């Protein structure tokens, strides 16, 4: 049912048999418009960041080609997971420091997309208030090349930013990485980053040394890193129109061309595993006759008016025009992509608002 609605125009001429045969082709076509080669099979249903939920929930009140949270153009927001590994956990030599490789696979972005904003977020799992008067330094490096021994040589990395964090820091730190993330879209240039957290020396109190003269301190809090990437697919950003308030076609019996009520449940097409929200939506479809004489309310083209006229003389030789969607509106969807990233995306032409004879 779902795919047949997406191709309502074709339906008018397709038989039921070919419709069934085309389901797979239709599914592929729809997925490819989402930049997906196959239905994603998320291995871990990573939690949806609250910011994305908020953006999803307010998406029907906004311009579908602007992400107002960041003040940039875009119709796709991805939460890209960090795939880098820990380089060194606290050891004897550096008891209060952590070094981690950060890697964000940018290949989910299609070539046609324009990256408009990327932001790194380092989120601490504990409240930093436990630090008391202690502070720690945080340094972020861009990795320029890989070396056999790993990236510790200063020549293989470049400092991007360093700062000191104390108990008054918020639960997370953010960096604008738009330029760097753009360069990472070429996989050969993506060596990722290195993050170093280190208990700050000079700011520790004297009593921070224990009896053996070893610097005591507070453990570095656990953290996770993610990259928010906002991009614009200009081909999917035709309308500046707002999403229509859920349109409920009246259920008056009539066999004339008009929108009919159709609720699409993503479970029915087996997509419930990777589509997070909505679980379904009121998509509607167009159905009905385009009889002679074509009245104005049927929104016929001049061509359709002539076609009904010819049909009235020669019903066997010339079919009636088709009842097809002439005005559609977008919806927003939250889903997992093939790399387990959470994606918020606006889709054009998902809800039938008006039908016409064509
Ligand atoms: C990035 O993801 C793509 C699939 O989306 C995969 O083919 C590629 O190997 C990944 N790259 C790395 C370095 O993991
Ligand atoms: C992020 O950085 C880019 C260039 O690196 C800049 O053009 C853009 O204005 C910055 N965005 C924000 C929100 O700071
Ligand atoms: C034709 O368009 C008008 C508005 O332009 C709309 O009110 C009407 O419902 C449309 N007709 C059909 C059959 O959808």
């Amino acid at each position: 049912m779902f795919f047949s609605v997406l191709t309502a125009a074709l339906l008018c001429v397709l038989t039921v048999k070919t419709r069934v045969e085309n389901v797979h082709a239709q599914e592929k076509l729809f997925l490819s418009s989402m930049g997906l080669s196959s239905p994603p099979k998320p291995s871990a249903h990573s939690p949806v960041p609250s910011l994305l939920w908020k953006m999803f929930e307010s998406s029907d009140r906004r311009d579908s080609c602007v992400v107002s949270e960041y003040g940039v153009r875009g119709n796709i927001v991805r939460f890209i997971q960090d795939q880098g590994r820990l380089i060194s956990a606290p050891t004897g030599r550096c008891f209060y420091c952590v070094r981690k490789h950060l890697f964000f696979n940018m290949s989910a972005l299609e070539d046609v997309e324009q990256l408009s904003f990327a932001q790194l977020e380092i989120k601490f799992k504990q409240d930093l208030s436990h630090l008391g008067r202690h502070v720690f330094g945080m340094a972020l490096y861009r990795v320029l090349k890989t070396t056999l021994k790993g990236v510790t040589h200063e020549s293989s990395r470049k400092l991007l930013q360093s700062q000191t964090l104390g108990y008054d820091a918020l639960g997370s730190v953010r960096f604008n990485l738009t330029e760097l993330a753009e360069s990472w879209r070429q996989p050969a240039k993506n060596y990722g980053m290195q993050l170093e957290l280190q208990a700050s020396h000079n700011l520790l109190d004297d009593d921070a040394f224990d009896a053996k003269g070893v610097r005591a301190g507070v453990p570095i809090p656990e953290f996770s890193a993610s990259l928010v990437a906002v991009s614009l697919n200009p081909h999917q950003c035709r309308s500046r129109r707002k999403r229509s308030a859920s349109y409920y076609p009246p259920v008056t019996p009539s066999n004339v061309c008009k929108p009919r009520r159709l609720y699409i449940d993503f479970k029915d097409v087996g997509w419930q595993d990777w589509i997070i929200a909505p679980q379904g939506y009121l998509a509607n479809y167009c159905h009905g006759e385009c009889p002679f004489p074509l009245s104005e309310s049927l929104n016929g083209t001049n061509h359709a008016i002539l076609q009904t006229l010819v049909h009235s003389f020669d019903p066997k030789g010339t079919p009636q025009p088709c009842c097809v969607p002439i005005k559609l509106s977008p919806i927003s969807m939250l889903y997992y992509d093939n790399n387990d990233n959470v994606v918020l995306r606006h889709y054009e032409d998902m809800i039938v608002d008006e039908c016409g004879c064509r």
Side-chain angles (χ1 to χ4, degrees):
M1 196 65 154
F2 180 58
F3 299 109
S4 53
V5 170
L6 294 176
T7 51
L10 281 176
L11 275 198
C12 198
V13 287
L14 286 180
T15 67
V16 173
K17 186 163 164 284
T18 51
R19 209 187 299 172
V20 172
E21 285 166 358
N22 278 321
V23 162
H24 280 293
Q26 289 303 305
E27 180 177 33
K28 238 185 146 64
L29 194 65
F30 185 73
L31 289 172
S32 86
S33 82
M34 298 174 92
L36 300 168
S37 51
S38 57
K41 296 184 177 64
S43 54
H45 284 93
S46 41
V48 177
S50 57
L51 180 69
L52 273 197
W53 267 121
K54 245 187 257 155
M55 291 165 77
F56 172 75
E57 278 159 5
S58 65
S59 57
D60 55 349
R61 293 191 294 274
R62 66 156 106 227
D63 182 328
S64 61
C65 306
V66 170
V67 177
S68 53
E69 282 76 7
Y70 301 113
V72 294
R73 292 205 13 100
N75 45 13
I76 309 166
V77 184
R78 289 184 177 84
F79 238 75
I80 302 179
Q81 300 296 326
D82 168 33
Q83 293 172 2
R85 56 189 180 84
L86 211 58
I87 302 167
S88 61
T91 62
R93 189 170 141 261
C94 175
F95 198 75
Y96 297 109
C97 77
V98 170
R99 188 179 288 145
K100 189 179 184 305
H101 183 222
L102 303 181
F103 181 82
F104 300 99
N105 189 336
M106 300 292 288
S107 70
L109 274 83
E110 296 180 278
D111 290 343
V112 61
E113 290 175 35
Q114 298 155 11
L115 181 69
S116 34
F117 184 62
Q119 185 180 62
L120 172 71
E121 183 176 29
I122 310 289
K123 209 172 186 158
F124 296 102
K125 299 204 171 132
Q126 296 103 337
D127 187 352
L128 298 187
S129 59
H130 78 287
L131 290 174
R133 277 177 296 164
H134 298 286
V135 292
F136 60 92
M138 176 160 142
L140 193 64
Y141 298 87
R142 172 184 188 173
V143 178
L144 304 171
K145 60 186 181 205
T146 49
T147 57
L148 283 177
K149 288 186 174 171
V151 252
T152 45
H153 297 291
E154 295 310 314
S155 65
S156 57
R157 61 183 201 178
K158 181 172 168 253
L159 182 67
L160 293 175
Q161 185 138 5
S162 70
Q163 69 186 76
T164 303
L165 297 177
Y167 64 92
D168 53 346
L170 299 170
S172 66
V173 191
R174 300 184 178 92
F175 301 98
N176 180 352
L177 280 190
T178 310
E179 228 170 290
L180 189 54
E182 177 63 42
S183 74
W184 288 343
R185 294 180 68 181
Q186 290 173 265
K189 291 196 176 164
N190 187 356
Y191 295 112
M193 284 183 297
Q194 220 179 71
L195 180 74
E196 275 182 9
L197 295 175
Q198 186 151 25
S200 231
H201 300 199
N202 45 8
L203 286 157
L204 287 176
D205 302 317
D206 290 342
D207 61 10
F209 291 87
D210 68 14
K212 289 183 194 139
V214 174
R215 192 180 294 116
V218 283
I220 298 219
E222 279 182 68
F223 61 89
S224 62
S226 59
L227 188 77
V228 181
V230 180
S231 60
L232 179 78
N233 182 331
H235 300 331
Q236 293 173 348
C237 194
R238 277 178 286 111
S239 73
R240 314 205 102 244
R241 173 180 74 219
K242 305 259 156 71
R243 172 178 167 183
S244 68
S246 285
Y247 176 61
Y248 294 88
V251 260
T252 46
S254 149
N255 58 354
V256 175
C257 173
K258 65 172 189 172
R260 316 275 165 161
R261 221 188 126 114
L262 168 69
Y263 182 82
I264 291 178
D265 190 332
F266 289 123
K267 242 189 256 151
D268 294 344
V269 283
W271 288 1
Q272 72 277 15
D273 274 349
W274 61 276
I275 294 185
I276 303 164
Q279 290 168 351
Y281 75 106
L282 197 60
N284 307 330
Y285 68 105
C286 294
H287 183 71
E289 305 224 16
C290 293
F292 174 80
L294 213 52
S295 68
E296 211 168 309
S297 68
L298 290 177
N299 300 309
T301 52
N302 287 339
H303 178 272
I305 291 166
L306 284 174
Q307 191 176 331
T308 48
L309 184 62
V310 175
H311 171 79
S312 71
F313 289 119
D314 176 20
K316 285 210 177 101
T318 310
Q320 270 189 353
C322 286
C323 174
V324 297
I326 58 166
K327 184 167 175 279
L328 297 124
S329 52
I331 65 163
S332 297
M333 282 167 67
L334 257 184
Y335 62 93
Y336 295 104
D337 71 7
N338 290 309
N339 284 4
D340 278 355
N341 303 317
V342 180
V343 183
L344 171 67
R345 191 161 178 155
H346 296 285
Y347 283 97
E348 296 290 342
D349 301 344
M350 293 288 281
I351 301 172
V352 170
D353 292 330
E354 285 166 23
C355 304
C357 292
R358 298 288 142 105

